[in-house]
Amino acid sequence: MNTLKLKLLAASLFACSAAFAQTPRTTPYDLGTAPGPNNGVGASTSRSTSARGVSFTNDSYVLQNGPSQYAKVDQSGGGAGNSADIIQNLANDPSDFGMDATQTQIHSGTAGRNKAFARQDGDRSVSIQYQQGGGNTGNVYQDDEDFNYATQSQIGDNNRAGITQNSGDNYAKQTQQGNNNYATTQQQNYASSSTIAQTGNMNTAIVSQR
């Protein structure tokens, strides 16, 4: 009798956990409209709302397929909290290896949620994201190519940064210290290097390397 009760309890707990299971994002957070020369952070600053994180102060999802992967997420702070995603080798190709991603989010102040997204589909990619403040959005997308490196640091409120690397041997670094800054980097050529450093408020930087 007791054994039957334990089995029923275990089944009910499993069903509850499945009901609350999170679904990983497969696309970056919306960065909104790129700022124009005269409108600061742009006419549209809306960002897509994550399907997760609504009921939690801090929310994270890590999905890893394939060999030799590493991921680390560190979230702290109250208020609106943080949302983070790390997705590595989504195609689950065993020939792709060596991906490495870390995310650190420290929410402070009264601004909205910090959002960090990293997707690495290829070999030996490295992605490092750091957010301190509120309302920051950071995206990193690295395609199936060798030896890409991307790092983002956002200190302040309502900063937006995106890095897309569609070829190999690329280096991209973005640093934002202030509020309402916007930066995008797109690298589609081999052996490209880019560094963006924004200090202050309402800065705009768009880099395209083809």
Side-chain angles (χ1 to χ4, degrees):
M1 188 65 174
N2 291 333
T3 303
L4 179 59
K5 288 182 178 180
L6 289 175
K7 289 182 178 179
L8 291 174
L9 178 61
S12 64
L13 289 175
F14 178 79
C16 290
S17 63
F20 287 100
Q22 297 174 346
T23 302
R25 298 178 62 91
T26 57
T27 57
Y29 292 105
D30 182 12
L31 290 180
T33 303
N38 299 316
N39 62 354
V41 297
S44 173
T45 57
S46 63
R47 305 183 184 94
S48 60
T49 302
S50 173
R52 312 183 332 271
V54 177
S55 302
F56 304 96
T57 301
N58 294 312
D59 165 59
S60 176
Y61 195 103
V62 177
L63 172 65
Q64 295 178 312
N65 293 320
S68 304
Q69 314 234 17
Y70 171 82
K72 179 183 178 181
V73 179
D74 186 1
Q75 296 174 316
S76 63
N82 307 293
S83 291
D85 301 89
I86 296 177
I87 300 175
Q88 296 180 314
N89 193 10
L90 186 62
N92 197 19
D93 186 350
S95 64
D96 292 336
F97 60 91
M99 279 133 313
D100 185 338
T102 64
Q103 295 171 328
T104 302
Q105 295 175 309
I106 303 172
H107 189 277
S108 60
T110 59
R113 298 180 72 84
N114 293 313
K115 299 179 181 180
F117 177 92
R119 174 172 170 172
Q120 297 172 313
D121 288 334
D123 306 321
R124 303 180 181 87
S125 295
V126 176
S127 173
I128 301 171
Q129 295 174 301
Y130 179 86
Q131 295 174 320
Q132 181 176 347
N136 297 304
T137 298
N139 293 323
V140 174
Y141 176 81
Q142 295 171 313
D143 204 355
D144 188 3
E145 300 291 346
D146 286 338
F147 302 110
N148 286 316
Y149 180 93
T151 177
Q152 293 174 326
S153 176
Q154 297 173 307
I155 301 176
D157 295 335
N158 302 315
N159 296 301
R160 291 174 289 164
I163 295 174
T164 301
Q165 296 173 319
N166 293 123
S167 59
D169 299 324
N170 293 311
Y171 173 91
K173 180 178 180 180
Q174 296 174 329
T175 302
Q176 296 173 316
Q177 189 165 357
N179 303 320
N180 300 309
N181 296 303
Y182 183 100
T184 61
T185 301
Q186 185 173 14
Q187 297 173 319
Q188 292 182 310
N189 188 37
Y190 277 90
S192 295
S193 178
S194 173
T195 300
I196 295 176
Q198 296 174 316
T199 302
N201 303 324
M202 302 175 69
N203 296 300
T204 301
I206 299 175
V207 175
S208 179
Q209 297 174 313
R210 300 176 184 269

